[in-house]
């Protein structure tokens, strides 16, 4: 059989027509394949959720998309079966009534078969070289054409508020009142569908569900992916814009990392012709999400799937015809299966790349390292098996680095979240970690929150030029001193956290002594034992109410088992930020000793030390208050000050404990 050839024709590698007398055998074979208990379970796709077989999509195409809205079906319906081998070769088999015109002949000789609609539209041309974009993504834009989304603000508001009055033609006519170009017409249709059509989860789960009719979609405002795609195409055609429905595989709801795709297609989307090129849209995924726990749909507009750059669209959409990838070079099905899957939020949050580029990571010596690059400074967090533990996440100017240490051997789920320009962290990437070795020496404190180490964020919060830019501090004697600048009007608070009972909620600040010198803050830290500790840094604007805000933490490490430093003295509210304590730094004093004191106190008229008796401190020429006191016969020692010489009321500023005799 010879088919007419022209520039828009589709080449056919093989055409197999099975006549009606063979139909029983063919159907039996197909039914056996579906009932095979060893066959892979049906995938779920659609709204990044439950999918629909391509057969139903084709039935919808034949009944609704080409203007034949007949409600009665022929006694013997055409059946189309499509399959692929591992090399991507397509084999399509059609079973049809003996006297009927084969649909494949209609479909494949169709460059201009489609009857003109009311606007004179004809069958759109197939994509060609001028429609393709380079693969991999060049980072130029998330869109396949230059767009300023601000130009759509008025149109988006208008289109989202249009209501259905009667039929589809009138709806499209109303939508186009504020649209003055093909791009704006497509945008108005896209916005209306994404804000009004709900994903019908129940219907999508029905095994033998009939295809949606456009009138039913408008009436119920519910459908599945083929309904979304069919409605979008029909509305574009009414608007005079060329549009195609594209079936294929998707990495939607229910997708498992590394899974293979075969058999029925599980999704459908659209290609739309604008400014001389084909572009891709997915109104199903643009409309919202299905909650994995409740299986309920939620409207949640996603701009990403409007005119998506093809090199990004291919990450979760694989069309039945490779030409609709709009890529040069096109990707194979195996590449689609094996390539790293970046969620739309990965790009919505401004991410550019992630390494490793494989979804399954094997640890090396119990450790895995992930880095991400973003187009702007971004806050990140992670969860390993649902908990923010066993990892060190440090922020970079444009990205982050994460070292992860799985606590046990086996398989682990790692999720990475990014904040972007919003106040909400969104999951942007998932990895599967394979761990065959656990380094018991790398046990991180449970209270080690993210991020670790100073960064652009700590600078933004008023902590400047830290003495220790690295997030991990090693100390051989269990002591360290950390300094940094502090912006005017910023208060700093620090606390120490370990994984034992030595540091309690009451004492977590007693192993840190905070000093201020010439716009710099010093944190003197003494560790109660060897091990790993989280040193948390908080800030707050002095003039504003509310709590301190966590900024970052250091990881302090000490391997010296002889370390056994006591707490610093307890300070009270009248201990001024600019005061300085030189001695004694230990919060526990020896019994029956004369202990020297030396402090720098500002705005003080008198100072004294009170134990069993009272010992005054004197102000020397260098501006320090000096003196000593005896610890005999007392359990506690206080430093007290008189701020106003005309008053007799002394305030407590420091408290020491005295060792038992």
């Amino acid at each position: 059989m010879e088919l007419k050839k022209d520039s828009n024709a589709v080449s056919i590698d093989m055409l197999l027509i099975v006549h009606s007398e063979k139909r029983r055998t063919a159907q039996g074979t197909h039914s056996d394949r579906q009932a095979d208990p060893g066959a892979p379970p049906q995938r779920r796709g659609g709204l990044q959720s439950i999918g629909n077989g391509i057969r139903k999509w084709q039935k919808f195409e034949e009944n609704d998309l080409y203007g034949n809205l007949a409600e009665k079906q022929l006694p013997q319906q055409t059946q189309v079966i499509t399959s692929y081998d591992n090399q991507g070769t397509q084999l399509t088999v059609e079973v049809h009534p003996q006297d009927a015109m084969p649909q494949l002949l209609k479909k494949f000789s169709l460059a201009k078969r489609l009857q003109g609609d009311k606007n004179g539209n004809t069958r759109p041309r197939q994509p060609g070289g001028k429609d393709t974009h380079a693969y991999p993504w060049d980072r130029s834009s998330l869109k396949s054409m230059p767009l300023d989304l601000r130009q759509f603000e008025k149109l988006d508001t208008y289109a989202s508020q249009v209501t259905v009055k009667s039929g589809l033609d009138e709806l499209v006519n109303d939508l186009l009142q504020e649209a003055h170009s093909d791009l704006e017409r497509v945008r108005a249709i896209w916005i209306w569908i994404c804000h009004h059509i709900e994903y019908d989860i129940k219907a999508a789960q029905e095994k033998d569900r009939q295809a949606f009719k456009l009138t039913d979609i408008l009436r119920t405002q519910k459908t599945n992916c083929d309904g979304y795609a069919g409605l979008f195409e029909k509305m574009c055609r009414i608007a005079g814009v060329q549009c195609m429905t594209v079936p294929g595989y998707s990495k939607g709801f229910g997708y498992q990392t590394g899974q293979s795709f075969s058999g029925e297609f599980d999704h459908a989307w659209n290609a739309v012709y604008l400014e001389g090129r084909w572009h891709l849209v997915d109104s199903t995924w643009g409309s919202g999400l299905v909650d994995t726990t409740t299986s309920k749909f939620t409207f949640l507009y996603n701009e990403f799937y409007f005119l998506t750059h093809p090199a990004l669209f291919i990450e979760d959409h694989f069309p039945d015809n490779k030409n609709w990838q709009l890529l040069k070079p096109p990707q194979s099905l195996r590449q689609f299966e094996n390539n790293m899957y970046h969620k739309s939020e990965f790009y919505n949050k401004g991410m550019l790349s992630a390494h490793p580029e494989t979804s399954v990571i094997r640890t090396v010596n119990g450790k895995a390292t992930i880095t991400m690059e973003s187009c702007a400074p971004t806050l990140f967090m992670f969860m390993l098996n649902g908990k923010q533990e066993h990892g060190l996440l440090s922020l970079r100017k444009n990205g982050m680095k994460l070292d992860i240490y799985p606590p046990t051997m086996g398989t682990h789920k790692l999720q990475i979240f990014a904040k972007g320009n919003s106040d909400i962290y969104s999951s942007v990437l998932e990895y599967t970690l394979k761990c065959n070795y656990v380094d018991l020496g790398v046990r991180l404190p449970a209270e080690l929150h993210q991020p670790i180490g100073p960064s652009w964020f700590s600078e933004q919060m008023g902590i400047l030029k830290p003495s220790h830019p690295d997030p991990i501090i090693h100390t051989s004697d269990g002591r360290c001193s950390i300094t940094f600048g502090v912006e005017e009007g910023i208060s700093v608070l620090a606390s120490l956290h370990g994984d034992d009972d030595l540091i309690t909620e009451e004492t977590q600040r007693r192993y840190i002594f905070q000093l201020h010198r010439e716009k710099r803050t010093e944190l003197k830290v003494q560790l109660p034992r060897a091990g790993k500790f989280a040193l948390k840094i908080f800030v707050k604007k002095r003039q504003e109410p509310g709590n301190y805000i966590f900024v970052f933490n250091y990881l302090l490490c000490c391997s010296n088992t002889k370390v056994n430093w006591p707490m610093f003295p307890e300070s009270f509210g009248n201990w001024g930020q600019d005061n300085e304590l030189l001695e004694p730094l230990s919060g526990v004093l020896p019994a029956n000793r004369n202990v020297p004191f030396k402090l720098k106190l500002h705005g003080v008229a008198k100072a004294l030390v009170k134990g069993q008796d009272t010992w005054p401190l004197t102000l020397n020429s260098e501006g320090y208050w000096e003196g000593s006191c005896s610890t005999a016969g007392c359990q506690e020692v206080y430093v007290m000050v008189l701020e106003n010489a005309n008053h007799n009321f002394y305030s407590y500023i420091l408290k020491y404990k005295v060792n038992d005799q």
Side-chain angles (χ1 to χ4, degrees), residues 127-134 277-278 310 323 325-330:
K130 71 175 184 179
D131 300 295
T132 59
H133 297 253
R277 296 180 80 177
W278 284 106
N323 291 336
Q325 294 181 25
L326 306 183
L327 289 177
K328 186 178 182 180

Side-chain angles (χ1 to χ4, degrees), residues 14 60 257 343 416 428 539:
M14 178 185 296
F60 180 94
T257 301
K343 300 181 178 181
I416 298 176
V428 296
V539 301

Side-chain angles (χ1 to χ4, degrees), residues 449-464:
H449 292 170
Q450 314 305 318
I452 62 165
S455 66
W456 61 267
F457 179 64
S458 56
E459 184 174 340
Q460 180 178 296
M461 298 300 288
I463 296 179
L464 315 172

Side-chain angles (χ1 to χ4, degrees), residues 602-616:
H602 297 273
V604 169
K606 293 182 180 180
L608 59 85
V609 179
K610 184 179 183 304
Q612 185 74 11
D613 297 310
T614 300
W615 290 268

Side-chain angles (χ1 to χ4, degrees), residues 260-275:
S260 60
F261 293 84
S262 62
E264 291 184 348
F265 297 122
D266 61 8
H267 195 39
W269 54 94
N270 295 99
V272 63
Y273 195 75
L274 295 170
E275 299 183 8

Side-chain angles (χ1 to χ4, degrees), residues 188-208:
I189 292 168
W190 155 269
I191 287 293
W192 188 88
I193 291 177
C194 289
H195 287 79
H196 289 83
I197 304 302
E198 178 179 344
Y199 192 78
D200 193 336
I201 303 168
K202 182 178 179 181
Q205 290 175 319
E206 294 177 1
K207 194 170 184 180
D208 297 322

Side-chain angles (χ1 to χ4, degrees), residues 349 351 378-381 417-426 428 457:
K349 294 293 186 180
M351 303 300 106
T378 303
L379 290 175
F380 294 87
M381 62 171 282
F417 303 81
K419 196 171 185 180
N421 295 324
S422 70
D423 293 330
I424 300 174
Y425 282 92
S426 298
V428 296
F457 179 64

